[in-house]
Amino acid sequence: MNTINNSLIFLGTGAAEAIPAFFCRCGYCEHARKHGGKDVRSRSAFRLNENVHIDLGPDLFHQLVKTGLDVHDLTDVLITHTHSDHLNFFEMLLKDCAVVTNGNKPVRIYVSETAYSWATGMFRQCVLGDYANDEQGYKQWQQRFPITALPYYEPASIGGYTVTPLKGTHGGYGEGEIAANYLITLPDRRIFYYASDTGYFFEETFTYLEKVKLDILVMECTFGGDESRGDYVKGHLDLKNFNLVLDRLLANGTIDQGTKVYATHINHKHPLHHDQLQDAFDRTSPVSVIVAFDGMAIE
Ligand SMILES: [Zn+2]
Ligand SMILES: [Zn+2]
Ligand SMILES: [Zn+2]
């Protein structure tokens, strides 16, 4: 069992289908199946500390076994968007079966204002099932897993962190949903930005970030070394578009050579495995970028 720090941990660094994708026999997935290690990527999730996570997807069990951690003390979950690799109510609701020693505190779930309607509708379906008219039962579930809509660009105090959702250019299952990227002030005052899923940012997001100097940037690089996607692509990033975001953030003064930058949420639809992608970042990026892997901690 690993004895890693209990904070700032990449629980998962894969995209929706993970690596090796379970239906897939492409060369990338076959390589990951054979060699394991950093090329095995579970669905993206991040642990700020034992109380606060970003996203909670279908691989939580595997991620916690791998890291030797649990979510007994989880009180707050920041959901970036409603896609199934980032939000899984069924996994959360299994807290109902747990033996707890902290008075069974509620787990508060935060979503963007554009995800709220879909998320609350899905929550209702997940908890009610065959008991569709059990309003009293439903209220109890709501109290144990309250869902809050966070307006974009408004700071909120959550679990000891100051959290501001900014807009990515990625969608979700909700009508008109725009994924939230989270700007977070850590207890040691470092400024952390978690941008997954995002794509090349909107102007309003770049503008908001002009007044911010990031200490840590975690950003998706979903399509890795795929060079066919064009420039300034919305929805998801790849190596080239990741670097285009970095160029802009550098020019705006949002990052500098001292900012720790990490790439996450990586899929199998490109030619570069972990070490090759790291080499490509080392050759092409305007600042140092670390390709994250499952279980990696940020110092
Ligand atoms: Zn995703
Ligand atoms: Zn594959
Ligand atoms: Zn997504």
Side-chain angles (χ1 to χ4, degrees):
M1 190 172 287
N2 293 345
T3 52
I4 59 177
N5 289 335
N6 204 6
S7 61
L8 303 185
I9 298 163
F10 289 94
L11 293 175
T13 59
E17 65 274 54
I19 301 175
F22 28 84
F23 284 114
C24 189
R25 284 193 183 162
C26 78
Y28 198 109
C29 289
E30 291 287 75
H31 178 276
R33 238 172 237 123
K34 187 172 174 195
H35 297 281
K38 295 174 183 175
D39 281 313
V40 171
R41 297 185 183 278
S42 63
R43 269 58 74 89
S44 283
F46 193 85
R47 183 177 179 99
L48 286 169
N49 67 12
E50 66 270 36
N51 305 129
V52 188
H53 280 206
I54 304 174
D55 289 334
L56 196 156
D59 294 328
L60 182 65
F61 166 78
H62 157 85
Q63 292 163 348
L64 295 176
V65 169
K66 181 183 166 97
T67 52
L69 301 168
D70 65 34
V71 284
H72 177 274
D73 296 323
L74 186 67
T75 53
D76 300 273
V77 186
L78 306 169
I79 300 296
T80 57
H81 63 301
T82 56
H83 282 157
S84 62
D85 47 330
H86 300 260
L87 172 62
N88 188 312
F89 285 127
F90 290 120
E91 303 298 327
M92 280 186 224
L93 296 172
L94 290 172
K95 191 180 181 190
D96 197 38
C97 306
V99 176
V100 296
T101 61
N102 62 355
N104 212 356
K105 290 179 184 167
V107 177
R108 293 179 288 267
I109 300 158
Y110 302 88
V111 299
S112 70
E113 54 193 334
T114 54
Y116 184 76
S117 172
W118 191 93
T120 51
M122 177 53 70
F123 181 79
R124 187 181 172 86
Q125 289 192 40
C126 290
V127 299
L128 286 181
D130 291 338
Y131 306 96
N133 297 316
D134 179 8
E135 286 303 321
Q136 201 52 40
Y138 179 56
K139 281 201 178 96
Q140 288 175 10
W141 282 105
Q142 281 182 306
Q143 286 163 4
R144 294 169 62 194
F145 297 90
I147 302 176
T148 302
L150 296 177
Y152 300 102
Y153 306 109
E154 289 187 19
S157 183
I158 295 171
Y161 299 88
T162 302
V163 177
T164 310
L166 309 188
K167 286 180 183 169
T169 58
H170 184 83
Y173 297 132
E175 195 177 339
E177 181 179 345
I178 298 169
N181 296 169
Y182 288 108
L183 182 64
I184 300 169
T185 305
L186 303 178
D188 60 10
R189 309 308 299 165
R190 284 187 295 174
I191 308 295
F192 173 76
Y193 193 52
Y194 190 87
S196 179
D197 299 353
T198 185
Y200 191 81
F201 300 175
F202 289 129
E203 280 304 309
E204 65 190 82
T205 297
F206 280 121
T207 300
Y208 188 95
L209 288 169
E210 280 178 9
K211 63 184 179 189
V212 176
K213 169 69 202 338
L214 298 178
D215 296 293
I216 303 167
L217 169 63
V218 173
M219 193 156 68
E220 59 124 325
C221 189
T222 303
F223 286 91
D226 182 350
E227 295 177 354
S228 68
R229 302 181 65 247
D231 294 352
Y232 309 107
V233 178
K234 305 267 192 271
H236 274 310
L237 298 172
D238 49 69
L239 174 68
K240 189 177 175 195
N241 282 281
F242 192 107
N243 285 335
L244 288 172
V245 175
L246 293 183
D247 287 340
R248 184 69 187 277
L249 293 174
L250 261 177
N252 287 1
T254 304
I255 63 171
D256 63 17
Q257 298 298 332
T259 304
K260 290 183 174 180
V261 181
Y262 298 85
T264 188
H265 196 279
I266 293 159
N267 78 12
H268 59 126
K269 293 181 176 174
H270 64 97
L272 303 183
H273 298 287
H274 175 277
D275 294 351
Q276 297 165 319
L277 187 57
Q278 184 62 65
D279 285 346
F281 270 113
D282 292 345
R283 279 187 280 106
T284 62
S285 293
V287 299
S288 175
V289 176
I290 296 169
V291 179
F293 53 88
D294 286 21
M296 180 188 204
I298 296 176
E299 296 295 322

